[in-house]
Amino acid sequence: MSKVCIFLCLDKLARCFLFLALQHYKVALLLLLALCNAIKIHGEESNGLCDVNLTLRSRPHSVSILEFGAVGDGKTLNTIAFQNAIFYLKSFADKGGAQLYVPPGRWLTGSFNLTSHLTLFLEKGAVILGSQDPSHWDIVEPLPSYGPGTELPGKRYRSLVNGYMLRDVVITGDNGTIDGQGSVWWEWFTSHSLNYSCPHLVEFVSSESILVSNITFLNAPAYNMHPVYCSHVHIHHITVYAPPGSPYTVGIVPDSSDNVCIEDCSISMGYDAIALKSGWDEYGIAYGRPTANVHIRRVQLQSFSGSSLAFGSQMSGGISDVQVQQLHLYDSLTGIEFRTTKGRGGYIKEIAISDVNMLNIKTAFGANGHFGSHPDDKFDPDALPLVAKITIQNIIGTNISMAGNFTGIEESPFTSICLSNVSLSINSASSSPWQCSYVSGFSESVFPEPCSELNNPDASSSCFSLLKPNGRAAVL
């Protein structure tokens, strides 16, 4: 056979393989497109933060708090043991990180700091107890977005467990417990005996890639989980409790933080269960960091004297792009509330809430434009907040005293408040289950019939919907 014939045969063979490859490529491409379309049609595609599968990294190094002289009798102070253990584990940060193991016992401690690339693991039966001696809690400066401070002007007590400018930190376990023993703090707060603002239970500041799971939080002096100026925070399968009489105790507070997921949690608090914040008046405006891109789903929330789910009132850096799904709210003063006032500036917008079951709620929905105080007299009364583009749909309420109280600001009315498929069983004979002023929006399939301000057909074009397959809000 000549070289020319061999070449022609090889050329035909190559063309044949290329043709087959192209056919397979087309088939594969068509299958891929069909799969993508099927996902979109069935609504399984989602850009929600909580849909990102997170895996716990296995730390190559692990030590027990016992190795640093800790005693779990509930009486011995173990602050030095925790501090020394974490200082030692810091050396493994560039070697894959490390784990601090807390075995069963009652481990009394003052405030201590975590480090990057660390897992704090609480075994079943392990309880980290916050000391009731305020001298065991460090004193730190107030947060810059809150100016002179929150409860008292000046410095504040550092939280029990802290992280500052950290990365890749995990707090988890086999349902171990962190107990703030907050009763003494509540007494000092009520009697105005505090020297500094109350501490929180766990606080991360300017940190990223934080995971908190499978832990019980009890009796925080103030907040239980406070990620502030943080990114990429995932909180799931935690239980949070403080008794009904505990003043201003709050469960989870995403504060000037972004890319936050909260899911599969049970929270019962004296004040708010979940509260989104972003700074206070001129200090929050100047700091300029919003809370954004937050996903909350499958949570049970109870609030004795506040709201199950609250936005603000410290929201001067802005709150936006919040997706909330599948809530069970019960035995609460208010179910869902948006709070602000003149001087706050900032915004609460692009909030999408759906699939909520309410039971025994005094006021199902609230929006208050005259809520809260100011840090000092330096605030700008002309700094008007924006509250707009809020969708609430697929709500069932039983034993509700009042459907909604929407009180906007005359100079900056709340707009595009959109209600759809809401059914509330009102337990009173009130002829006015809704109260509205300086608010506008649109409603459809809502019972009892909302006030006329929320029944404006012209507002429907700017309403948001949760019906997009990816679960994100989109203009109708």
Side-chain angles (χ1 to χ4, degrees):
M1 185 180 292
S2 67
K3 292 181 179 180
V4 174
C5 289
I6 293 173
F7 175 79
L8 290 174
C9 288
L10 291 174
D11 181 64
K12 288 182 179 180
L13 187 62
R15 289 173 182 269
C16 182
F17 277 120
L18 179 60
F19 174 79
L20 290 173
L22 286 172
Q23 295 308 306
H24 283 294
Y25 171 77
K26 290 178 180 178
V27 171
L29 182 60
L30 289 172
L31 287 173
L32 181 60
L33 290 172
L35 179 61
C36 290
N37 288 332
I39 291 174
K40 290 179 181 179
I41 290 170
H42 292 290
E44 296 173 4
E45 179 193 46
S46 177
N47 292 331
L49 283 168
C50 294
D51 291 303
V52 177
N53 291 323
L54 294 180
T55 56
L56 286 175
R57 290 185 180 181
S58 177
R59 305 293 191 187
H61 308 279
S62 180
V63 298
S64 169
I65 192 65
L66 291 171
E67 299 175 44
F68 296 86
V71 179
D73 60 2
K75 300 177 181 178
T76 303
L77 189 67
N78 296 293
T79 310
I80 299 299
F82 277 101
Q83 291 174 344
N84 287 343
I86 291 167
F87 181 78
Y88 168 74
L89 294 176
K90 189 175 182 179
S91 63
F92 297 99
D94 59 349
K95 303 177 181 66
Q99 173 179 277
L100 176 57
Y101 175 79
V102 182
R106 296 174 63 80
W107 311 93
L108 184 69
T109 181
S111 54
F112 62 90
N113 298 316
L114 302 177
T115 189
S116 292
H117 309 292
L118 174 75
T119 296
L120 177 62
F121 188 96
L122 278 67
E123 186 58 83
K124 184 177 182 179
V127 182
I128 293 178
L129 291 171
S131 171
Q132 294 187 314
D133 183 341
S135 68
H136 298 155
W137 300 65
D138 297 337
I139 309 299
V140 294
E141 296 294 328
L143 293 165
S145 58
Y146 287 84
T150 51
E151 296 152 4
L152 295 170
K155 297 182 178 181
R156 63 191 183 113
Y157 287 104
R158 189 194 296 274
S159 300
L160 185 65
V161 182
N162 297 276
Y164 177 67
M165 296 188 69
L166 302 184
R167 179 181 177 84
D168 177 28
V169 179
V170 177
I171 300 177
T172 188
D174 187 10
N175 202 31
T177 299
I178 302 178
D179 186 343
Q181 300 198 105
S183 58
V184 294
W185 298 96
W186 308 330
E187 291 173 8
W188 294 330
F189 175 86
T190 304
S191 63
H192 305 285
S193 302
L194 285 168
N195 294 320
Y196 307 101
S197 294
C198 268
H200 308 310
L201 208 51
V202 176
E203 181 177 69
F204 288 96
V205 181
S206 302
S207 300
E208 61 178 298
S209 299
I210 307 300
L211 175 61
V212 180
S213 68
N214 302 101
I215 293 288
T216 295
F217 295 94
L218 298 176
N219 305 313
Y223 303 165
N224 286 267
M225 269 294 306
H226 186 215
V228 56
Y229 321 140
C230 289
S231 295
H232 301 286
V233 179
H234 194 162
I235 303 168
H236 68 92
H237 292 95
I238 69 169
T239 300
V240 188
Y241 176 80
S246 55
Y248 294 102
T249 52
V250 186
I252 302 173
V253 185
D255 193 345
S256 291
S257 294
D258 59 86
N259 295 292
V260 178
C261 165
I262 302 170
E263 62 178 340
D264 299 307
C265 298
S266 177
I267 305 172
S268 178
M269 300 306 300
Y271 192 54
D272 295 335
I274 296 177
L276 284 70
K277 299 179 180 291
S278 65
W280 201 7
D281 285 7
E282 69 270 24
Y283 303 102
I285 295 172
Y287 197 84
R289 176 154 183 175
T291 287
N293 203 14
V294 178
H295 190 185
I296 302 170
R297 69 179 181 184
R298 298 194 303 265
V299 293
Q300 299 185 57
L301 307 178
Q302 187 269 336
S303 159
F304 178 73
S305 62
S307 297
S308 297
L309 177 62
F311 297 78
S313 75
Q314 295 98 337
M315 38 62 70
S316 301
I319 300 171
S320 68
D321 193 11
V322 180
Q323 178 186 355
V324 182
Q325 303 165 302
Q326 298 169 277
L327 304 188
H328 175 59
L329 314 181
Y330 65 99
D331 300 343
S332 298
L333 183 65
T334 306
I336 300 167
E337 187 170 28
F338 304 90
R339 306 164 174 164
T340 188
T341 192
K342 292 181 183 179
R344 289 286 192 266
Y347 52 82
I348 301 174
K349 64 179 183 178
E350 298 172 13
I351 313 297
I353 301 172
S354 72
D355 303 308
V356 180
N357 185 283
M358 297 186 182
L359 177 65
N360 304 330
I361 307 291
K362 186 172 182 181
T363 302
F365 310 113
N368 191 340
H370 308 279
F371 192 103
S373 59
H374 301 283
D376 50 36
D377 59 3
K378 299 177 183 178
F379 73 95
D380 179 5
D382 294 325
L384 300 175
L386 169 71
V387 178
K389 296 181 180 178
I390 295 170
T391 288
I392 301 172
Q393 68 175 20
N394 301 336
I395 314 294
I396 296 176
T398 303
N399 197 25
I400 309 297
S401 298
M402 184 174 188
N405 188 345
F406 294 86
T407 306
I409 299 172
E410 182 176 3
E411 297 87 346
S412 182
F414 301 165
T415 61
S416 300
I417 309 299
C418 308
L419 306 175
S420 173
N421 193 24
V422 176
S423 178
L424 304 175
S425 174
I426 304 299
N427 61 17
S428 67
S430 171
S431 60
S432 302
W434 298 86
Q435 293 184 7
C436 301
S437 62
Y438 304 115
V439 61
S440 66
F442 175 74
S443 60
E444 183 178 41
S445 301
V446 176
F447 181 84
E449 182 75 18
C451 43
S452 59
E453 292 91 336
L454 296 177
N455 206 5
N456 181 4
D458 295 335
S460 63
S461 61
S462 59
C463 280
F464 269 48
S465 171
L466 293 174
L467 297 179
K468 276 188 69 175
N470 64 7
R472 306 299 294 278
V475 177
L476 284 171

